[in-house]
Amino acid sequence: MSSCRWLSLSKDTKYGSKMALNMFRLRATCPVFWKVFQFRPLSCEPLIVQMSKCTDEEEIFDLIERNKATLSEKQVGHAFNVLWRLQTQKTSSLKNVESVRDHPQFPTLYNLTTNKIEAMSDDTLVNVLHIAQQFAVAVHDPLVESLVTEAWKRLERSLSVLMISISSLISQHFQEKLVKKTELLFDTIDSSQVTTARKIVQFLGNVKCSHFPLLERCDKVFLSNVNHLDLDSIRNILAAYRFLQFYSFAFILMAKKRLTEMIPLFNHPANFVKLFVTLGPLAGPQEKKQLESTMLLMSEELTSQQALEVVVAMEEMESRNSHLIKKIASVLHKNLENYTPTELLEITQTLIFLHFPSKEVFMKLRELLFSYLKVSVQVKEIVSLSCALSMLPSPHTDEAVMSRIEALLPQCDLSNLNDFATSVLRWIHYDHMYLSKFTGKQLKLLQKLDHYSCQRLQQSNNFHLLWEELKYSKGDWFHQLVVEETIAAFQCLMDEINYTNVARIGFFISRTNYLSTSLLDRIAAVVVQQIEKIHPFSILGIILPFSILNYDPPQKDEFFGLCMQCLHSHLGTLDPHTLVFLGFSLATLEYFPEDLLKAIFNIQFLASLDSQLEILTSSLSSRVQLRLMELNRAVCLECPEFQIPWFHDRFCQQQYNKDIGSMNGAQQQIYKLLAEILGGPNFVKASVLSPYYYAVEFECILNKRKKPLPYGTHNVTLGKPARMFWESNIQIVGSSLPPGAERIAFEFLDSKAFCRNIPHLKGKSAMKKRHLEILGYRVIQIPHFEWNSMALSTKDARMDYLRQHIFGEGTS
């Protein structure tokens, strides 16, 4: 009889309880008698030891079968541990997992586990959930659901631990319930419990849920307990925030200050690398210099992984320290064979970005990438290898690479297809440079990529799964057919758009430049119906497609009013650069909320924005400054009653003092025809800067009788910016003209000025026309599809086209 049988008997019957009590008394009073009879103790230890000694699945399943009537919850948990340990010691994990899951005795263990769930300790419960995931038990399986339900009951005892442990094992519905439960329980958490807040953030990262209210509350815990955050804590929090796209400028400033104080404290490579990687992307010029000089002294002591972390951080820092780049590249070069395909992709990207000049390193990289590609069987690896190879220019593309990609296409999801397409486009570009003969094969491969993308899109029946495949796709590689299929797929799943994903779909549509009025109307409807559930951090993603694509939904006033109402309480806490983007996006749509503009155009905010610009990448920093200038210009022109001053003269002069290059073919044609129509080159002015620094391609002046007026000696060389010829850079154009005269601005609109699918003018081009008209211009916009049409294929037709727009007549 098993020792557990005694335990079971003693628990389940009065006789058992009495017998057990007598046995313990006997042991206390007659130790000799106890030794003679040698009753087995009530411990389950021997069976656990036997399990630990098992060397294959058959042995462990045999033990389970023989002892199934007496197995305790602890033994059940240990059986899972041993089964998983045996799998990790073998090579083909996928095959082994299936063999265990399909074993005839696995249902026995399955049923035992289900019956023992309530008796399991938290650790055992969590462990069984984790191993169930490794054995690929589905999230909707009754066992997993039962484990999750039990964990749910225990949340108020060990909230954050259980959250992290079950995060990857539960369905999306359970994840949402768990997040809501956590939010309700947050008030019971001590504000000093940094560890709990950190684990909640980790859980949100595990389930890929950017639940902003919960993240905000965790952020407040971190900010009020700065002294309890060490380097590892700050590093992990920043990584989670970045992954979840949660931007807390207050936390970043705090982290920067705290990490800067740590610089003198670390002199060992292991710790200093962590500090370098965490602080580097946030550091100002002085801190970066200090970090780089210290890292230079340690560079030869770095391991291969440390060197990889450092070089990736240097890319984020936009480092131009050639000595340090050379040192780190040397460590990478020595260890190239130790890196995985994904890590080799990182190294390739980073060294190219850092302008590292060594051909030797790149040749070695190419050799390694090709060798890995020949033997790799995993889609993810082949995607990384192909992407890395496409970044290394070569006179020709190896056909074996193209064949490997082609063979994999049926297995690829949309994310893989996007990455492959990007690689193929790079190869086509290089082949044009080197006049290679393989472009035809690459174009055929691109067509197949489109085919499989469309096929996969047509089969999509779940919004969440479709989004997971598309969220990292930029959208610019798609051919028109694929864009249409993508939008069509989202339109079919439109009912699944709700407050949790409305901002994501908004951002995605913005990147495609495809105007789908039904999708945008759905976004607006979701906002109107569910605004109380939408967090202010989501508003930019919601507004962006309307701004970029220049579209007003049917309930325009209610929609924008609710968006601003949602933002109102967070105007003081939103990231400065986010607030600038919001202001510009709304201004594009002719929407100027006074409280938002007052929040932006004040000394305190602009000082805060300056602080943030120091830690943003140079490209993002430049974009933010440009949007602030454009917002400042829009407010001055469209809302002079707000009395917001124009303060971007110096910025604009720096921007427009750069050479803007020569005109394209269509612009040169237009210039020559305008000169001929108007009476000569001195009647048309090229490359003009308007008040408030709008670039005007061509300009002419007509008097009150519609006769052209000459410019005299004020004209400039084609393609070069002219000086502004008004007394004030903000003077209205008409004020410097003779009575009744008008100034006309001509603008050639290429494909970027229009939506991708229809000839609908996008937001920025519409705003420019509006602003030039406010400045006193009559604006003539010449769309590329009209200028390049068959109707305007002759010089005479184009002359008539221009005359019609200038004078309102078909012929002179």
Side-chain angles (χ1 to χ4, degrees):
M1 178 179 283
S2 169
S3 59
C4 288
R5 185 78 51 92
W6 288 106
L7 180 59
S8 177
L9 186 62
S10 67
K11 286 182 177 177
D12 295 341
T13 68
K14 291 182 179 179
Y15 171 78
S17 300
K18 187 174 182 181
M19 185 178 75
L21 180 60
N22 289 334
M23 287 174 64
F24 279 113
R25 286 174 178 169
L26 183 63
R27 182 176 184 181
T29 56
C30 305
V32 176
F33 176 87
W34 192 260
K35 288 180 181 178
V36 171
F37 282 92
Q38 293 189 359
F39 284 104
R40 297 183 78 178
L42 298 181
S43 169
C44 297
E45 188 68 16
L47 187 54
I48 287 180
V49 171
Q50 289 177 59
M51 288 180 181
S52 299
K53 292 179 179 177
C54 290
T55 57
D56 61 45
E57 294 86 351
E58 294 301 330
E59 290 182 18
I60 190 73
F61 277 126
D62 183 57
L63 276 174
I64 291 167
E65 176 62 26
R66 286 193 283 111
N67 295 276
K68 61 185 178 182
T70 60
L71 281 176
S72 70
E73 71 282 353
K74 185 176 179 182
Q75 291 167 333
V76 168
H78 194 69
F80 271 96
N81 279 339
V82 175
L83 282 170
W84 182 242
R85 174 174 58 78
L86 292 172
Q87 306 319 305
T88 59
Q89 295 170 353
K90 299 182 181 180
T91 51
S92 177
S93 61
L94 182 60
K95 181 180 176 183
N96 290 325
V97 164
E98 290 175 347
S99 68
V100 172
R101 198 180 58 219
D102 299 336
H103 193 281
Q105 294 302 326
F106 188 76
T108 302
L109 179 60
Y110 181 105
N111 292 330
L112 284 168
T113 306
T114 304
N115 295 331
K116 300 288 182 183
I117 285 175
E118 289 187 6
M120 287 180 180
S121 67
D122 286 349
D123 287 340
T124 302
L125 182 70
V126 164
N127 201 48
V128 171
L129 270 167
H130 173 69
I131 296 172
Q133 178 195 27
Q134 308 307 318
F135 285 135
V137 178
V139 294
H140 55 268
D141 185 273
L143 172 61
V144 173
E145 295 284 16
S146 298
L147 288 163
V148 169
T149 301
E150 179 59 29
W152 188 265
K153 294 176 185 175
R154 304 182 189 189
L155 278 178
E156 298 172 23
R157 286 195 291 112
S158 49
L159 177 67
S160 58
V161 176
L162 282 168
M163 285 175 68
I164 292 170
S165 305
I166 68 176
S167 58
S168 57
L169 292 154
I170 56 179
S171 64
Q172 187 182 2
H173 175 66
F174 264 109
Q175 289 171 7
E176 291 170 2
K177 288 184 69 177
L178 190 54
V179 167
K180 289 177 183 175
K181 179 79 169 178
T182 307
E183 203 172 3
L184 291 172
L185 294 172
F186 202 95
D187 291 332
T188 66
I189 297 173
D190 185 346
S191 62
S192 65
Q193 293 295 316
V194 175
T195 303
T196 301
R198 186 164 46 81
K199 287 178 178 176
I200 290 171
V201 171
Q202 185 183 344
F203 161 75
L204 292 173
N206 287 353
V207 299
K208 303 174 184 175
C209 175
S210 298
H211 191 271
F212 293 133
L214 202 48
L215 286 167
E216 273 193 295
R217 298 176 82 172
C218 291
D219 192 60
K220 287 177 182 176
V221 173
F222 300 143
L223 290 171
S224 59
N225 293 276
V226 174
N227 295 331
H228 293 99
L229 297 177
D230 58 12
L231 172 59
D232 286 330
S233 297
I234 293 172
R235 185 185 188 190
N236 292 335
I237 292 166
L238 285 170
Y241 280 5
R242 178 181 296 188
F243 178 75
L244 293 168
Q245 296 184 316
F246 175 74
Y247 303 106
S248 170
F249 184 51
F251 183 82
I252 289 172
L253 285 181
M254 179 278 294
K256 179 183 174 183
K257 181 177 182 296
R258 183 129 172 83
L259 294 171
T260 302
E261 292 167 354
M262 295 180 187
I263 294 178
L265 305 179
F266 298 116
N267 52 18
H268 188 273
N271 289 327
F272 191 78
V273 165
K274 287 183 184 178
L275 181 64
F276 185 94
V277 168
T278 310
L279 176 58
L282 312 179
Q286 288 301 317
E287 293 89 0
K288 282 183 183 178
K289 188 176 180 181
Q290 193 175 354
L291 287 169
E292 289 175 338
S293 60
T294 307
M295 183 56 70
L296 194 58
L297 298 174
M298 297 181 178
S299 57
E300 294 182 1
E301 304 174 52
L302 299 181
T303 65
S304 58
Q305 285 302 310
Q306 288 169 346
L308 177 59
E309 287 185 66
V310 169
V311 80
V312 170
M314 290 175 71
E315 179 183 4
E316 289 186 61
M317 295 161 64
E318 300 180 332
S319 174
R320 290 295 177 259
N321 188 319
S322 57
H323 294 299
L324 183 57
I325 294 170
K326 187 175 180 181
K327 285 279 189 181
I328 302 301
S330 175
V331 179
L332 295 171
H333 190 194
K334 290 175 187 174
N335 294 280
L336 280 179
E337 295 180 357
N338 299 327
Y339 294 111
T340 66
T342 304
E343 289 170 339
L344 289 175
L345 171 58
E346 279 189 301
I347 291 168
T348 306
Q349 288 174 321
T350 302
L351 291 181
I352 290 173
F353 177 85
L354 295 173
H355 305 297
F356 182 64
S358 172
K359 290 183 180 179
E360 185 183 357
V361 173
F362 287 123
M363 285 178 64
K364 180 71 178 292
L365 266 171
R366 280 187 66 84
E367 290 172 13
L368 270 176
L369 293 167
F370 272 120
S371 65
Y372 280 135
L373 193 62
K374 290 175 183 176
V375 297
S376 181
V377 294
Q378 294 184 15
V379 175
K380 185 179 178 182
E381 281 191 356
I382 295 173
V383 168
S384 296
L385 293 165
S386 303
C387 188
L389 280 167
S390 72
M391 294 178 182
L392 300 171
S394 172
H396 66 275
T397 306
D398 194 311
E399 286 201 53
V401 179
M402 311 295 286
S403 299
R404 288 305 305 279
I405 294 175
E406 190 172 347
L408 278 176
L409 295 186
Q411 304 174 45
C412 293
D413 63 18
L414 290 165
S415 178
N416 302 144
L417 293 167
N418 177 23
D419 291 336
F420 277 140
T422 303
S423 299
V424 173
L425 287 169
R426 284 199 196 104
W427 281 319
I428 290 172
H429 172 71
Y430 290 137
D431 283 358
H432 278 304
M433 286 172 57
Y434 293 107
L435 301 176
S436 175
K437 299 177 182 177
F438 294 100
T439 302
K441 184 175 178 64
Q442 292 161 0
L443 289 173
K444 287 179 182 176
L445 180 55
L446 204 58
Q447 289 172 350
K448 288 190 175 181
L449 282 161
D450 286 347
H451 167 74
Y452 280 101
S453 297
C454 291
Q455 189 178 70
R456 193 162 183 89
L457 286 162
Q458 289 161 2
Q459 294 168 352
S460 298
N461 58 10
N462 181 287
F463 184 95
H464 178 71
L465 296 178
L466 177 59
W467 174 253
E468 284 299 308
E469 291 190 26
L470 281 172
K471 63 182 177 182
Y472 297 119
S473 301
K474 293 181 180 178
D476 52 0
W477 71 270
F478 289 150
H479 289 174
Q480 185 66 21
L481 178 63
V482 183
V483 176
E484 289 172 0
E485 287 293 347
T486 305
I487 298 298
F490 278 126
Q491 286 171 337
C492 290
L493 302 170
M494 211 159 46
D495 290 343
E496 295 182 47
I497 298 176
N498 57 41
Y499 72 96
T500 65
N501 54 36
V502 66
R504 299 177 199 164
I505 188 68
F507 270 121
F508 182 81
I509 293 171
S510 303
R511 296 201 302 265
T512 64
N513 286 321
Y514 191 103
L515 179 57
S516 167
T517 57
S518 60
L519 276 177
L520 292 183
D521 288 348
R522 171 63 182 173
I523 289 173
V526 167
V527 170
V528 170
Q529 294 161 12
Q530 303 180 18
I531 189 64
E532 71 283 352
K533 297 180 182 178
I534 295 174
H535 194 275
F537 289 0
S538 300
I539 297 298
L540 177 59
I542 290 168
I543 287 174
L544 209 54
F546 296 90
S547 168
I548 289 174
L549 301 174
N550 189 27
Y551 178 72
D552 289 335
Q555 64 276 56
K556 172 187 174 181
D557 293 336
E558 185 182 11
F559 169 64
F560 291 124
L562 287 171
C563 285
M564 271 313 302
Q565 182 181 316
C566 180
L567 281 172
H568 187 76
S569 61
H570 276 66
L571 289 178
T573 57
L574 281 169
D575 255 16
H577 84 283
T578 302
L579 216 54
V580 170
F581 286 145
L582 271 167
F584 172 76
S585 297
L586 289 167
T588 305
L589 291 159
E590 301 182 72
Y591 198 76
F592 297 91
E594 188 172 1
D595 54 348
L596 174 63
L597 296 174
K598 285 181 176 178
I600 293 173
F601 292 105
N602 68 71
I603 299 298
Q604 292 78 13
F605 175 85
L606 295 174
S608 180
L609 181 63
D610 281 341
S611 300
Q612 190 180 33
L613 293 177
E614 288 184 6
I615 61 175
L616 298 179
T617 62
S618 59
S619 58
L620 180 55
S621 176
S622 298
R623 197 150 56 92
V624 173
Q625 291 178 72
L626 182 63
R627 291 292 178 263
L628 181 66
M629 180 278 288
E630 290 172 325
L631 176 59
N632 188 195
R633 176 168 62 194
V635 173
C636 289
L637 287 171
E638 299 193 60
C639 302
E641 67 276 13
F642 291 162
Q643 297 185 330
I644 291 173
W646 167 251
F647 55 92
H648 277 91
D649 267 333
R650 182 179 298 177
F651 173 82
C652 290
Q653 287 160 8
Q654 290 171 348
Q655 291 288 110
Y656 294 111
N657 279 339
K658 300 172 185 175
D659 188 351
I660 62 171
S662 58
M663 295 180 184
N664 61 35
Q667 289 169 329
Q668 290 181 12
Q669 290 172 354
I670 292 168
Y671 177 76
K672 290 175 181 176
L673 293 177
L674 284 174
E676 191 171 337
I677 291 167
L678 296 170
N682 60 324
F683 287 91
V684 57
K685 198 171 187 67
S687 304
V688 177
L689 283 182
S690 78
Y692 292 99
Y693 297 89
Y694 267 119
V696 177
E697 290 170 6
F698 311 108
E699 181 190 281
C700 73
I701 301 172
L702 302 183
N703 66 17
K704 63 182 179 182
R705 291 184 295 276
K706 290 201 171 186
K707 296 295 181 182
L709 297 178
Y711 283 96
T713 59
H714 288 290
N715 213 341
V716 293
T717 308
L718 279 186
K720 304 295 181 182
R723 290 180 177 272
M724 291 191 347
F725 44 86
W726 301 277
E727 293 179 5
S728 167
N729 68 313
I730 59 172
Q731 185 178 345
I732 299 301
V733 169
S735 61
S736 61
L737 296 177
E742 65 174 348
R743 200 182 300 270
I744 302 174
F746 298 86
E747 185 181 16
F748 177 75
L749 301 176
D750 62 15
S751 59
K752 292 179 182 177
F754 296 93
C755 296
R756 192 167 190 164
N757 54 319
I758 56 173
H760 177 75
L761 200 61
K762 287 165 62 178
K764 281 198 71 176
S765 296
M767 176 191 261
K768 181 177 180 179
K769 182 176 188 289
R770 192 166 72 239
H771 287 175
L772 288 175
E773 287 172 344
I774 291 171
L775 286 168
Y777 280 101
R778 175 156 68 92
V779 182
I780 297 175
Q781 293 182 323
I782 306 170
H784 70 99
F785 50 83
E786 290 184 1
W787 189 254
N788 296 321
S789 66
M790 288 298 294
L792 300 184
S793 58
T794 64
K795 178 182 176 181
D796 288 344
R798 286 178 171 171
M799 295 274 280
D800 285 344
Y801 175 88
L802 291 173
R803 287 193 189 99
Q804 175 65 34
H805 280 81
I806 297 169
F807 304 111
E809 58 188 34
T811 58
S812 56

